[in-house]
Every structure is written in structure tokens, then in C-alpha cells.
Amino acid sequence: MNIAKNMEAIFLAALVIAGATSYATAAVPERAVAIKADTAAVQVVHVTAKRLSAAEKAAL
């Protein structure tokens, strides 16, 4: 019975912590969202290569 009470207390504590962190992270400042939305600075890599034929794949 004592273990069940302890597990219930641990579950309720985890529930309270999860609820508090969800409220804490819900209010993201608008300037932080604007910084993340800037995709012009993202580097893109294009890889160009020819595909291997069946014979070349078999040779590997």
C-alpha cells in the first residue's frame, strides 16, 4: 500500500511539473519567432551525381 501511495505522489508531481512547463513555454516572444522564421540564412547543399547502372551496382 505504501508503494502505491508513493507512485501516486510521483505521478501527481510529474503531472504538475509537466503542466507548469507547458504554460512556461507557451508564451514565446514574437521576436524569437521572427528570428527562427528567417530562412534566407539557411544553407542548402545540392548534390548532383549520375545514377549507377545495374551492372555497376552488381560490380560493387
Side-chain angles (χ1 to χ4, degrees):
M1 185 72 179
N2 195 16
I3 293 174
K5 285 185 181 180
N6 288 338
M7 290 302 290
E8 182 181 358
I10 291 170
F11 175 75
L12 291 176
L15 190 64
V16 168
I17 291 171
T21 55
S22 67
Y23 279 115
T25 58
V28 177
E30 187 177 332
R31 61 185 169 86
V33 174
I35 292 171
K36 289 183 180 180
D38 182 23
T39 57
V42 175
Q43 296 180 355
V44 179
V45 177
H46 294 280
V47 177
T48 56
K50 69 173 196 165
R51 294 182 146 267
L52 293 176
S53 67
E56 290 171 334
K57 286 181 185 178
L60 292 176

